[in-house]
Amino acid sequence: MRLRALLGDGIAGGISGIRLLVGATELDRSVRAVMTTDLHDPSRYLTAGALVLTGMGWRSEPADSERFVRVLTGGGATALAAGQAEIGDIPADLVAACERHHLPLFAVEEELSFAHLTEFVVRRISAERAGDLTAVVDRHRRLVQAAAGGAGLDGVLGLVAADIDIHCWVLSLTGRQAAAGGPDLAPGLRVRMARAHFAARERRARVPFRYRVDGRAFSLLPVPEAGGSVDPDAWGDWFLAVEDDVTDWPDRHQALLGELVRLVSVGRERVEDRRRRTRRLARDVLDLLASGADPVEVGARLRVAEPEGGDAHWQFATATLPDLPSRDGRRLARVLLEEALADQPNTALVSATGPGAVALIPGRGSVEPDGAEPDPTTELLRERLAALDGPAAGGVRVHIGVSARVARADGLRGALEEAWHAGRIAGTRAGRVEVVGHAELASHVALLAAVPEDVRRAFRGRLLEPLRAYDTSHQADLVGTLEVFLDCDGSWTRCAARLHVHVNTLRYRIGRIEELTGRQLARLEDKVDFFLALRLR
């Protein structure tokens, strides 16, 4: 029951003989139990949410009030009701102590016995618990009916949102919004929550995981596989985000939330059923390619997944997570590709294989890129996997490679190798999430990735180490100057302007670079060597 029920809550009348002295703004606090005590330290018997009744037998001097109230608030008491039968008016020191500790204080007049007050509170708590149980059963029935009736996850979440006046969403670890019971979340906010979820997932945080962002409080609850329990070891790939701190919710809302998580789990399992079918098809195609099967046989196997309307083409994407054990890395790589490519017009075929996972992505239209336009698949994967590219996501790295489009089955084997090679190039870069498209394979990047690491280390050391040593001993910036000079295509005026120095100062720095390295920046081949060395850092 709420504290305001003692004074009359608009539903039923209160109880006569009780007055509020402190805490007019705290009357929505919940009372879960009632206890009577005159002990100086009742902490061993105190339960959270208790209304404490006292005859003030513990008070012998004003300082006792501060100690007693501190014990009550430390034990989670909801309020204090002090009887006037023995002491008359409530002492000012007790009123002051309750005000300091924000503990509501009631005065119980002589005509109201503690037995009568206790009976009133217990009766109200019992009645409300019975009503809560009925409400939970009714909500359960309506939720199950909504899910079974084809309302989908959006319909189920909307029902809960309207019933208990909260907003909630189902998100994946890439930040994809699978369902909403409220206004759509902004993409940036979804990404930030997905990062927080992923970090909590990796460290097996306690459920629910509480997250605050931009002044808003959210509770993140993992959605386990169907039949699984929600516990610290059940962190999954989907999670329920509720805009509130659910740890403070009453029991009836907690029960409804648990039922909602279970229904979302069932919805997730339906998605998993569809994905399992596409994984089998992807596995069949990859096995055919690995065995050197006739392209006609491969094409026939793919025909069931071709987009309608003709002009079909195919494209591969590969994913690896080198920091995880192989089994975990393959599974998470598969999940990331499935989630990143979800909600597309044509269903991608994804399978865990080799060092990670492979997605075979169907499409329609020409296989040639439109002018200088970036590859849509590469850009989509960069956008969808941004949730993992941040400090909150832990230390997991993700390397993605994307092939060119091919229109014929006999080009699939080459496209698959191209995607794996692009993924290996992604692995040479320093970012946490690196996506390399096929267009980059026609640049110096592909050549650098093919050079062994010890050779690359020696090459950049010979060219740049003299400059780094000079910078360290003279507090100079020859390496930075060289980088800007090459970025300005060797233009003295533009480089000097970028560096905010006089051209003569720039000429002196370039002279020092040439003297220390024995190279001439007027020569094209030396410029190329410096450019490659800087890219290898």
Side-chain angles (χ1 to χ4, degrees):
M1 60 166 270
R2 303 290 182 182
L3 278 178
R4 64 175 66 254
L6 296 172
L7 306 174
D9 56 9
I11 299 174
I15 185 169
S16 60
I18 190 168
R19 294 181 293 110
L20 179 67
L21 301 180
V22 173
T25 61
E26 305 287 341
L27 292 177
D28 282 324
R29 288 190 181 189
S30 295
V31 178
R32 299 176 183 174
V34 60
M35 68 171 290
T36 302
T37 183
D38 276 328
L39 294 174
H40 288 81
D41 182 0
S43 56
R44 72 180 67 180
Y45 307 111
L46 192 60
T47 59
L51 170 64
V52 177
L53 311 183
T54 182
M56 302 284 291
W58 46 266
R59 182 182 179 276
S60 57
E61 59 179 358
D64 292 338
S65 293
E66 174 68 22
R67 287 191 291 269
F68 186 76
V69 171
R70 189 184 301 118
V71 168
L72 296 188
T73 55
T78 290
L80 174 64
Q84 294 181 298
E86 294 289 336
I87 63 169
D89 292 338
I90 305 301
D93 49 90
L94 179 59
V95 174
C98 288
E99 287 177 338
R100 278 194 300 274
H101 291 276
H102 305 286
L103 181 69
L105 173 64
F106 293 87
V108 180
E109 296 173 357
E110 186 175 354
E111 62 267 23
L112 175 60
S113 70
F114 281 177
H116 189 188
L117 178 55
T118 299
E119 181 184 359
F120 174 86
V121 173
V122 170
R123 189 169 58 246
R124 284 295 299 261
I125 291 175
S126 298
E128 289 187 10
R129 283 177 178 167
D132 288 349
L133 180 60
T134 301
V136 167
V137 171
D138 182 60
R139 290 186 181 103
H140 172 85
R141 176 183 55 78
R142 288 187 288 122
L143 283 175
V144 172
Q145 286 176 346
L153 288 179
D154 284 313
V156 173
L157 262 64
L159 184 63
V160 173
D163 197 16
I164 58 177
D165 193 27
I166 56 100
H167 292 150
C168 52
W169 303 264
V170 176
L171 304 176
S172 78
L173 56 79
T174 65
R176 183 177 69 88
Q177 183 173 290
D184 286 346
L185 290 172
L189 180 57
R190 295 203 309 265
V191 165
R192 293 166 75 178
M193 281 204 287
R195 287 176 178 169
H197 161 76
F198 190 81
R201 178 185 188 276
E202 290 302 295
R203 66 175 185 267
R204 294 291 192 267
R206 179 178 296 179
V207 177
F209 177 68
R210 289 175 287 184
Y211 178 62
R212 296 191 66 86
V213 57
D214 299 334
R216 301 168 70 180
F218 294 90
S219 296
L220 309 184
L221 295 92
V223 176
E225 295 181 3
S229 60
V230 180
D231 59 43
D233 293 323
W235 278 96
D237 310 316
W238 284 18
F239 63 99
L240 180 68
V242 181
E243 190 169 7
D244 201 357
D245 183 351
V246 302
T247 58
D248 291 334
W249 280 12
D251 292 345
R252 62 182 182 277
H253 289 177
Q254 295 275 7
L256 182 62
L257 185 63
E259 185 61 36
L260 177 60
V261 170
R262 283 185 284 274
L263 288 174
V264 174
S265 178
V266 172
R268 175 191 169 191
E269 182 61 21
R270 291 170 183 163
V271 173
E272 281 294 301
D273 282 340
R274 293 193 296 271
R275 288 179 175 176
R276 277 191 281 268
R277 291 192 291 271
T278 65
R279 288 172 203 156
R280 286 194 290 270
L281 179 55
R283 184 69 264 167
D284 290 347
V285 172
L286 292 173
D287 288 344
L288 289 172
L289 292 176
S291 67
D294 190 306
V296 175
E297 184 181 359
V298 177
R301 190 73 185 92
L302 277 176
R303 201 152 293 132
V304 297
E306 282 186 359
E308 298 179 358
D311 295 329
H313 64 252
W314 298 89
Q315 189 173 22
F316 279 105
T318 62
T320 56
L321 286 82
D323 300 317
L324 295 181
S326 57
R327 182 177 178 182
D328 294 341
R330 283 195 296 271
R331 180 188 176 278
L332 188 52
R334 188 206 74 218
V335 169
L336 291 178
L337 286 178
E338 287 175 334
E339 287 295 335
L341 296 168
D343 303 331
Q344 296 303 294
N346 304 300
T347 302
L349 311 180
V350 184
S351 176
T353 185
V358 172
L360 183 53
I361 307 159
R364 289 182 55 195
S366 171
V367 298
E368 297 298 327
D370 299 327
E373 290 295 318
D375 174 57
T377 300
T378 303
E379 295 304 306
L380 175 69
L381 289 170
R382 284 194 180 116
E383 176 189 342
R384 292 284 179 90
L385 296 176
L388 304 184
D389 192 10
V396 175
R397 292 177 296 151
V398 182
H399 300 149
I400 306 289
V402 182
S403 76
R405 307 168 190 169
V406 294
R408 294 162 51 92
D410 57 8
L412 288 173
R413 191 175 291 107
L416 177 58
E417 181 53 41
E418 184 178 58
W420 280 121
H421 184 55
R424 286 191 289 273
I425 292 174
T428 67
R429 299 181 176 178
R432 184 163 290 147
V433 176
E434 293 286 356
V435 182
V436 172
H438 60 90
E440 295 183 66
L441 301 184
S443 72
H444 66 279
V445 175
L447 294 176
L448 295 179
V451 177
E453 172 58 28
D454 56 344
V455 176
R456 285 186 280 159
R457 189 183 306 113
F459 176 75
R460 66 175 177 260
R462 281 195 300 271
L463 279 175
L464 299 181
E465 193 55 41
L467 305 183
R468 292 198 186 102
Y470 184 90
D471 286 344
T472 300
S473 61
H474 293 81
Q475 289 76 52
D477 189 21
L478 294 185
V479 174
T481 298
L482 174 62
E483 196 163 15
V484 175
F485 184 74
L486 293 175
D487 192 49
C488 292
D489 299 321
S491 168
W492 297 95
T493 54
R494 282 195 291 129
C495 182
R498 283 262 302 271
L499 294 172
H500 305 290
V501 299
H502 194 275
V503 172
N504 288 341
T505 302
L506 175 61
R507 291 186 186 278
Y508 171 77
R509 293 184 185 179
I510 296 300
R512 294 298 295 158
I513 291 171
E514 293 176 337
E515 179 183 340
L516 290 167
T517 61
R519 301 297 186 104
Q520 297 295 319
L521 279 164
R523 299 173 61 205
L524 176 60
E525 55 266 41
D526 286 345
K527 284 182 181 177
V528 171
D529 285 347
F530 277 125
F531 173 80
L532 295 177
L534 289 167
R535 288 302 177 96
L536 287 170
R537 284 192 296 163

